[in-house]
Amino acid sequence: MHDPRTTTDLFSPVTLGSMELANRIVMAPVTRSRYGEDGVPNELHATYYAQRATAGLIVAEATNISAQGRGYAATPGIWSDQQVAGWRLVTDAVHAAGGKIVSQLWHVGRFSSIDLQPNGEAPVAPSAIKAEGNTYTAGGFVPVSMPRALETGEIPGIIEQYKHAAENAKRAGFDGIEVHSANSYLLDQFLRDSTNQRTDQYGGSIENRARLTLEVTQAIVDIWGSDRVGIRLSPVTPDAGNTAPDSNVMGLHGYLIQQLNTFNLAYLHFVEGATATSREVPEGVDMDALSAGFNGPFIGNNNYDLKMAIERRAQGKIDAVAFGRLFISNPDLVARLRHAAELTIAPRESYYGGGAKGYIDWPMGKY
């Protein structure tokens, strides 16, 4: 019987922008909540990422661009010198193992608590609309707080936070940047009319709601060059507060992707469906049509297995495929997929928090 692994190019080198990758298997950003209150990476995190460096590209877990951008305890930052030094341990370890790693820059916007914000201030958002749900603080789970709407005059300061983080990521030795404009966090909150009710130049029309994502992307491209900047979008994910998708998903993201094409970015990383749950999309939404509108390399993401990845690659629908949860318990996932070796499924209790157990103690496969 024909084995499709012998003909697929998923395990062959590929270039995204100017990043030359050993294969088309990407480690998606996976929040593991194993950092101290200072958000500083250490040798534990360096070991974790180095173990997974056979991925063609690692997208490091979402990383707070500022103290204001934090929405969960025990997540990493990249605004301080100590955090930069910690990330340098990680990038050096990944590079020593032959891998490539980019930093995903994150501002949670409204999905935060006053317990996590500097001086106990309200989280910021495009509009003063409270999210649903709880977030994790040093004292345990608490309901997310009511946000305040950003003043128009504060927006340049938000862009400055992204610029500072992008400059720090360069100092930390990353290979590039992924703009986190997904999963109902700040940039995505500006995109969606369900969370953006502004009446200034950042609200109302599709063009206005897309403005902040494009301005942030421009600011980061100015620092890194477009060939080392990618972006992540999740057109229909309701995560982080059950945010409804935009009322015109195809119009909004069709326009956004058209504008992103002008940058000549390294890649577009799409959550196809609802993050980590389902690949189903609302009626009238066509993910393949949206991704086909992007002129550069496309990374598919969400509940892929090897069979689906091979099929969608053969059909030309993806250029690379991102796996998240499978990388938690299969540090050598690329080799296991290539050899059809058994995959380990991590129990959910190992996902978040803790130390080395369930983090760096997963065995390599037999193949």
Side-chain angles (χ1 to χ4, degrees), residues 38-243:
D38 56 6
V40 176
N42 58 37
E43 292 289 356
L44 180 70
H45 310 103
T47 299
Y48 167 75
Y49 280 112
Q51 286 176 343
R52 288 151 182 81
T54 52
L57 179 67
I58 293 172
V59 183
E61 64 207 282
T63 300
N64 305 299
I65 61 171
S66 64
Q68 180 199 65
R70 247 175 115 228
Y72 306 83
T75 52
I78 195 160
W79 71 85
S80 76
D81 288 343
Q82 293 91 336
Q83 291 163 349
V84 171
W87 279 117
R88 173 61 81 168
L89 294 175
V90 173
T91 61
D92 283 351
V94 168
H95 292 149
K100 296 273 167 63
I101 183 168
V102 298
S103 175
Q104 192 196 57
L105 300 185
W106 189 29
H107 190 309
V108 301
R110 70 182 189 148
F111 204 82
S112 187
S113 162
I114 56 173
D115 296 347
L116 293 161
Q117 290 292 306
N119 306 314
E121 294 168 7
V124 299
S127 302
I129 303 170
K130 189 175 181 294
E132 296 175 28
N134 298 320
T135 190
Y136 182 67
T137 71
F141 284 95
V142 299
V144 292
S145 301
M146 181 71 183
R148 69 170 180 84
L150 283 159
E151 301 286 340
T152 306
E154 292 180 283
I155 304 282
I158 296 290
I159 296 169
E160 200 55 46
Q161 290 179 25
Y162 278 96
K163 286 172 68 174
H164 178 64
E167 287 162 348
N168 278 351
K170 192 169 259 196
R171 290 170 52 212
F174 283 97
D175 295 293
I177 297 291
E178 180 169 290
V179 180
H180 193 351
S181 189
N183 295 1
S184 307
Y185 295 116
L186 183 69
L187 298 182
D188 205 9
Q189 290 160 26
F190 269 86
L191 288 174
R192 299 178 187 218
D193 54 13
S194 57
T195 42
N196 184 343
Q197 296 177 358
R198 301 176 71 88
T199 55
D200 63 359
Q201 67 264 42
Y202 292 94
S205 68
I206 283 173
E207 292 80 2
N208 282 355
R209 284 182 279 120
R211 192 182 306 277
L212 184 58
T213 289
L214 295 170
E215 288 181 346
V216 165
T217 303
Q218 179 68 67
I220 293 170
V221 164
D222 287 346
I223 293 163
W224 274 89
S226 61
D227 57 342
R228 290 190 175 270
V229 178
I231 189 166
R232 192 182 206 209
L233 304 176
S234 61
V236 301
T237 290
D239 287 11
N242 286 323
T243 309

Side-chain angles (χ1 to χ4, degrees), residues 315-348:
Q315 293 161 356
K317 290 182 175 173
I318 60 173
D319 295 289
V321 58
F323 295 95
R325 287 162 293 176
L326 286 178
F327 265 111
I328 290 176
S329 48
N330 302 281
D332 55 341
L333 181 62
V334 176
R336 292 199 196 202
L337 293 175
R338 185 186 280 134
H339 296 283
E342 187 177 354
L343 299 180
T344 306
I345 305 301
R348 192 170 175 81

